[in-house]
Amino acid sequence: MPLSSDRELVKRREDPRLLTGQGTYVADIDLPDMLELTFVRSTMPHAMIRSIDYREAERSPGVHLVLTARQLQEEAPSTLTGVASTPALAIDRVRYFGEPVAAVLADNRYLAEDAAELIEIEYDELPVLVDVLDAIRPDAVAIHESSPNNIANVHERSFGNFDALEERADVIIHETFRIHRASAQPLETRCLVAAPDPASKGIVVWTAHQGPHQLRNGIMNALGLAAHQVRVITPDVGGGFGQKNGVYPEDIVCCYLAYRMQRPVRWIEDRQEHFVSASHEREQKHEVTLLAKKDGTLLGIRDHCYIDQGAFLQRGHAIPLRTIMTLPGPYRMEAYEGKATTVFTNKVPVGPYRGAGRPQGNFIMERMMDRLARHLQLDPVEVRLKNLITPHEMPFDRGFSDHRNTRVIYDSGDYPGTLLETLNISNYETLRRTQAEQTRSGSLNRVVEGIGVSCSVEDTGGGGYEGAMIRLEPGGRFMLYTGSAAQGQGHETTFANIAARALGIPPDAITVVLGDTAHLTHGVGTFGSRSTVVAGGAVHRSTLKLKEQLFEIASSLLEVAADDLILTSDRIHVAGMPDRHILLKNLANQHPGLGATDYYEPDAPTYANGAHVCRCRIDLDLCRIELTHYYVTHDCGTLIDPPLVAGQVHGGVLHGLSTVLFEEHVTDESGQPLTTSYKDYLIPEATSVPPFILAHKESPSPLNPLGVKGAGEGGTVPALAAVSAAIEDALYQARRLGLIKSVPVINELPVSPERLFRMLQENGYEPVGPR
Ligand code: MCN
């Protein structure tokens, strides 16, 4: 759809600062007398700690302190020894390779690391569990005494009677799927600077975090301080993608030490630590059954998945539920049964990573739709169009409720229209015709091409409230504060634009301050593609309140009705009479305290949707998969800043395609991680990014004042399925060309060159050797 020019041309106001190296990151913060912290991490995946000898480390030059769980238990408030179920430092037992066991505080990082190497830890090894199905065996060792069967939780969502449908089904398809471990890999690793604050007798913390208030609450609870004694500030942040949420053990230890030593303390995670201690995600096993009629009508889906949670649950609550709630997707069906069993293993704890369980649910559904299409020899688009929920069925009750007992109701959207738009921008019919001709002529010679399609719907804008405060400052400038923090999304630009539209003035007149708990006492955080809906809603509402205040005063001063007044960047004047005005700076000075604060919590999440088409080319001899084109139609309701949404979609797709093609955390059977650097853990390079063609649709949400839905994860959710489908489709072409005996199905990720090589070998492919 055409977009109005002002929205198309919007530029991110944070970019000049960030692109010219003037951003301030936590590692840039250097305070006088600052000490540096390092952690000694477990080299055992599962063991009892027999002894920790740190005498030599304590005597090492520049070392101020070595901290273990034992000391914490003796000297610190009991709240500090554990954050939810995760200990600040391992107590008597370690449960994954990388778990923090001791902390060393020294004059600088080098001295701290040298001393850390002198610490000797003796372990008594315990049996190690790295696979969910092994972990739930009756004879498996319990990783936590409180969960003897290693099951952390079980979530179920269902509607209709699946069993009763079986006899009406012409088609029954069973499949199993395995999705591997991957993680967000933000450019900036985790980091904190904590400093004592003599004024409040508490601490100030600078950190790269998605929820400064969440962290503030965690720290105040752990240290026994009041809210005003803990100030958390998030300066520029180099990406979070879900990983920098919640409270990590290292956060608490760093703040405790700053508080105890009454000196600033800095901890910057290095990349190797990041691999073994910042949260991972994605790893799941699924057993699925699909029921359908022979004309392609979907009857029902049943899925049981096992989610590998790693060693602790603290940050992984949302993921299983998101997977089974997302799975039915944008399709109509009579029955659904989703069950997720979350299982402890001796691996890095799992926490949200862009999509937080949704990409997996979408992957399963979309792959099953492809199976159905193959089974019935229909085009993948045909089965989708037959089953997509239509605009006439909106609002559509999905048949179950979420974790807050809110009914899952798709509020608006034209799902078939979104798919048709993607077919349109990708010239889908022509692509299929060309593919068929190439197959007939056999012209491609061991290079095959495939096309994959996927559709998605995902909840956005949930997670409770968010607040905003806008003030007219002395001098007449608008200052806007929100509790929400940004990690690169462009909140400064977007919130300024939302406020500017409410005031009817250019955004330049508004300064935005984000991520500082000193400004707003309450806040939740940036996750679940919620900020535009929730914080944006609070910005809109508080701005309208301030506008009302301004117009009320101006109306009385200028003796005209408020409806006859116009607000500009520096004044309010009577419509058509610019000289009859009052300057904002005079208003601000004569009426101190002009401003408004509002907290907004939507009644229910709003549902964004999308459709992707991916094209790939596979060189069968080199096992090289190249994504040649990528087409997206994305509908996140009313667009605030289209170029920023485009950036979100591109980045989101990139995370999705890298899950399919590159990234994999590998742990061997003994629990040792094998991928702890970018030599082994592959991430996409600029050359791996396909050209994107993007179309926006706007189905405004009826649930919030701006009509907006979230955009931050919409690129990722359907990308796993679209890329996998394209690869499988290319392999079909190889089969039709007679190059392989049967078609390998993509039920297991990632599709690394090695895995592709094995699949081709198993299917009788004979490489021609070097060309
Ligand atoms: N936007 C818009 N109009 C809409 C919706 C969104 O213009 N209708 C634009 C806005 O510029 C907004 C951005 O899209 O700032 C993202 O909006 P939203 O979907 O509300 O998501 P959040 O701001 O809550 O960000 C969270 C989301 C998530 S969950 C992950 S994970 C993620 C993502 O954002 N992490 C990111 N995108 C990221 N982008 C960067 N650069 N870094 C991360 O860590």
Side-chain angles (χ1 to χ4, degrees):
M1 57 146 295
L3 297 162
S4 68
S5 54
D6 66 320
R7 293 190 306 158
E8 267 179 301
L9 292 173
V10 70
K11 289 203 161 64
R12 286 172 28 119
R13 59 164 65 188
E14 26 301 77
D15 281 351
R17 178 177 85 237
L18 299 178
L19 297 177
T20 56
Q22 293 173 65
T24 304
Y25 296 88
V26 172
D28 297 324
I29 296 170
D30 219 342
L31 301 178
D33 276 343
M34 189 164 72
L35 301 175
E36 292 209 77
L37 180 62
T38 196
F39 287 90
V40 180
R41 298 180 180 277
S42 170
T43 51
M44 292 288 152
H46 200 190
M48 298 306 293
I49 300 172
R50 200 186 319 146
S51 65
I52 306 176
D53 184 348
Y54 53 86
R55 286 167 299 184
E56 212 181 323
E58 265 189 330
R59 288 194 295 267
S60 195
V63 169
H64 291 256
L65 184 94
V66 177
L67 190 72
T68 64
R70 187 82 63 222
Q71 287 153 271
L72 269 182
Q73 280 172 319
E74 281 163 16
E75 66 186 50
S78 59
T79 43
L80 205 144
T81 48
V83 186
S85 58
T86 314
L89 293 170
I91 306 170
D92 300 332
R93 181 174 180 175
V94 289
R95 294 176 171 86
Y96 66 96
F97 181 108
E99 185 173 352
V101 179
V104 181
L105 193 62
D107 283 336
N108 62 48
R109 176 71 178 259
Y110 306 99
L111 295 173
E113 297 229 349
D114 287 350
E117 280 182 15
L118 301 173
I119 296 179
E120 284 181 14
I121 307 174
E122 289 183 320
Y123 294 103
D124 292 321
E125 290 184 43
L126 291 167
V128 174
L129 295 166
V130 292
D131 181 84
V132 282
L133 299 182
D134 291 339
I136 56 172
R137 287 207 180 124
D139 58 348
V141 61
I143 294 174
H144 295 278
E145 273 150 27
S146 51
S147 302
N149 52 10
N150 288 321
I151 293 181
N153 58 50
V154 178
H155 288 284
E156 290 179 80
R157 287 295 181 275
S158 63
F159 56 81
N161 185 342
F162 186 89
D163 287 329
L165 283 177
E166 281 199 37
E167 56 189 46
R168 278 177 47 215
D170 303 317
V171 182
I172 302 182
I173 301 173
H174 298 289
E175 287 290 348
T176 56
F177 294 88
R178 175 189 173 271
I179 304 168
H180 62 293
R181 266 188 178 231
S183 62
Q185 299 297 324
L187 208 56
E188 182 195 29
T189 55
R190 294 181 292 150
C191 46
L192 273 94
V193 168
D197 179 14
S200 68
K201 297 196 170 45
I203 56 169
V204 183
V205 181
W206 292 265
T207 179
H209 203 277
Q210 295 173 224
H213 292 83
Q214 273 176 43
L215 184 63
R216 191 244 356 239
N217 296 347
I219 297 167
M220 62 186 251
N221 290 338
L223 300 189
L225 296 171
H228 74 275
Q229 292 180 290
V230 183
R231 178 178 180 188
V232 176
I233 302 166
T234 53
D236 288 317
V237 176
F241 310 109
Q243 207 178 37
K244 290 178 179 161
N245 225 341
V247 185
Y248 280 96
E250 293 90 342
D251 300 335
I252 296 298
V253 172
C254 186
C255 293
Y256 168 68
L257 288 175
Y259 189 60
R260 176 188 150 166
M261 305 296 284
Q262 287 295 299
R263 281 180 74 166
V265 174
R266 179 163 70 187
W267 173 62
I268 309 286
E269 179 188 55
D270 72 27
R271 187 58 68 178
Q272 206 168 17
E273 292 184 279
H274 183 80
F275 274 107
V276 297
S277 62
S279 60
H280 296 172
E281 216 234 88
R282 302 289 191 245
E283 187 169 4
Q284 302 189 350
K285 285 185 170 163
H286 287 253
E287 294 161 4
V288 198
T289 306
L290 175 146
L291 307 177
K293 297 177 71 131
K294 57 175 176 285
D295 68 353
T297 306
L298 184 61
L299 291 173
I301 287 266
R302 172 183 278 160
D303 174 61
H304 187 179
C305 61
Y306 296 91
I307 296 186
D308 186 328
Q309 175 56 39
F312 292 98
L313 185 58
Q314 198 222 335
R315 304 182 65 257
H317 289 286
I319 293 159
L321 197 53
R322 292 284 166 237
T323 297
I324 55 170
M325 279 172 46
T326 305
L327 201 143
Y331 304 110
R332 209 181 299 108
M333 62 187 81
E334 292 182 38
Y336 170 63
E337 281 181 18
K339 179 174 177 188
T341 303
T342 308
V343 180
F344 289 119
T345 59
N346 294 116
K347 289 192 277 189
V348 174
V350 156
Y353 163 27
R354 205 166 195 171
R358 298 172 185 86
Q360 298 95 311
N362 180 270
F363 175 75
I364 302 302
M365 185 71 223
E366 292 299 300
R367 297 277 50 223
M368 291 305 279
M369 291 303 269
D370 285 341
R371 284 291 165 283
L372 178 62
R374 290 286 176 207
H375 185 89
L376 297 173
Q377 299 197 339
L378 296 171
D379 191 283
V381 166
E382 204 175 329
V383 287
R384 286 174 169 83
L385 284 175
K386 192 167 201 71
N387 293 291
L388 281 172
I389 294 159
T390 62
H392 312 293
E393 295 167 89
M394 293 290 171
F396 184 88
D397 187 334
R398 189 64 281 183
F400 47 71
S401 299
D402 67 12
H403 59 298
R404 292 172 174 238
N405 234 1
T406 305
R407 204 77 187 150
V408 173
I409 295 177
Y410 299 163
D411 47 329
S412 65
D414 175 2
Y415 303 162
T418 301
L419 176 55
L420 291 172
E421 181 63 25
T422 315
L423 302 183
N424 179 32
I425 57 175
S426 60
N427 277 321
Y428 184 79
E429 278 183 26
T430 314
L431 293 180
R432 283 285 179 215
R433 260 201 314 275
T434 314
Q435 189 188 38
E437 277 158 21
Q438 280 172 344
T439 309
R440 262 196 306 279
S441 65
S443 61
L444 286 172
N445 189 24
R446 292 171 180 266
V447 175
V448 285
E449 292 186 347
I451 307 160
V453 180
S454 69
C455 298
S456 68
V457 58
E458 87 261 3
D459 63 294
T460 69
Y465 64 84
E466 209 61 78
M469 171 172 73
I470 184 160
R471 293 199 303 240
L472 188 64
E473 298 265 301
R477 193 165 172 79
F478 291 99
M479 293 294 296
L480 174 64
Y481 304 84
T482 84
S484 116
Q487 303 81 53
Q489 293 88 346
H491 287 178
E492 279 175 63
T493 307
T494 296
F495 295 149
N497 284 347
I498 291 173
R501 280 172 211 165
L503 292 170
I505 57 170
D508 298 350
I510 303 162
T511 299
V512 179
V513 181
L514 301 165
D516 183 341
T517 58
H519 296 305
L520 281 143
T521 53
H522 290 72
V524 177
T526 300
F527 55 87
S529 303
R530 66 189 295 271
S531 307
T532 311
V533 174
V534 189
V539 168
H540 177 74
R541 284 159 52 123
S542 56
T543 308
L544 289 181
K545 281 188 183 170
L546 172 62
K547 188 178 178 185
E548 205 178 301
Q549 291 173 16
L550 296 175
F551 276 38
E552 200 179 302
I553 300 170
S555 147
S556 134
L557 290 173
L558 298 170
E559 296 177 337
V560 290
D563 287 350
D564 293 328
L565 293 172
I566 306 281
L567 175 68
T568 68
S569 299
D570 68 346
R571 67 193 59 200
I572 298 178
H573 68 82
V574 178
M577 303 170 73
D579 290 342
R580 231 177 114 198
H581 70 264
I582 173 156
L583 291 175
L584 291 181
K585 66 178 178 203
N586 293 342
L587 263 184
N589 294 337
Q590 289 157 16
H591 299 270
L594 281 172
T597 304
D598 204 348
Y599 283 86
Y600 173 58
E601 176 166 0
D603 293 336
T606 171
Y607 290 81
N609 75 93
H612 292 198
V613 166
C614 172
R615 289 169 62 192
C616 79
R617 184 182 297 136
I618 304 180
D619 185 320
L620 297 170
D621 289 331
L622 298 178
C623 291
R624 186 171 63 201
I625 301 170
E626 183 195 351
L627 304 189
T628 56
H629 302 82
Y630 207 99
Y631 309 90
V632 177
T633 305
H634 186 253
D635 184 349
C636 59
T638 306
L639 293 160
I640 304 295
D641 296 318
L644 276 71
V645 172
Q648 286 296 314
V649 173
H650 294 169
V653 170
L654 199 59
H655 265 134
L657 71 85
S658 72
T659 298
V660 178
L661 297 177
F662 300 103
E663 306 192 28
E664 182 174 20
H665 288 290
V666 183
T667 308
D668 73 11
E669 281 176 9
S670 70
Q672 295 288 319
L674 302 182
T675 42
T676 58
S677 82
Y678 289 135
K679 275 189 295 190
D680 301 308
Y681 185 94
L682 304 183
I683 52 171
E685 296 165 346
T687 51
S688 335
V689 184
F692 288 105
I693 295 185
L694 173 63
H696 295 296
K697 266 180 97 68
E698 289 187 273
S699 308
S701 170
L703 303 180
N704 62 68
L706 297 167
V708 289
K709 304 177 177 188
E713 293 158 297
T716 309
V717 174
L720 276 63
V723 177
S724 305
I727 296 169
E728 196 176 282
D729 190 55
L731 296 175
Y732 264 90
Q733 206 193 17
R735 168 76 191 94
R736 284 189 292 252
L737 289 165
L739 296 170
I740 50 177
K741 292 195 204 97
S742 57
V743 184
V745 288
I746 309 295
N747 282 10
E748 190 172 337
L749 298 180
V751 191
S752 58
E754 183 205 343
R755 206 160 272 148
L756 179 62
F757 178 76
R758 271 194 278 116
M759 284 193 285
L760 290 172
Q761 292 249 304
E762 282 159 16
N763 287 283
Y765 182 70
E766 288 177 17
V768 290
R771 276 182 260 150

